Amino acid sequence: MKIKVTYTQVFMGERLTDSFTETVNSVEEARGACERVATDPHVIDVCWSPAD
């Protein structure tokens, strides 16, 4: 399935939101994609949803 990962980070005092799509085989892989983004200390929010 294709997912969209959306995340918000704080950079130089500003909140920036970005997203990317990724193809995964399971919900666990989707969680892993979010966890990879969440390891960045500037990221304050990460979520995923099915991509169109």
Side-chain angles (χ1 to χ4, degrees):
M1 76 178 145
K2 196 167 205 173
I3 62 167
K4 179 179 180 182
V5 177
T6 304
Y7 60 95
T8 302
Q9 61 183 336
V10 176
F11 185 72
M12 297 185 74
E14 293 192 37
R15 288 179 179 229
L16 306 171
T17 300
D18 202 358
S19 64
F20 62 91
T21 57
E22 186 168 317
T23 300
V24 296
N25 295 314
S26 65
V27 171
E28 289 77 25
E29 286 186 17
R31 288 183 186 135
C34 291
E35 288 172 3
R36 286 192 303 277
V37 174
T39 60
D40 184 322
H42 300 288
V43 172
I44 59 172
D45 184 44
V46 181
C47 64
W48 68 271
S49 60
D52 294 334

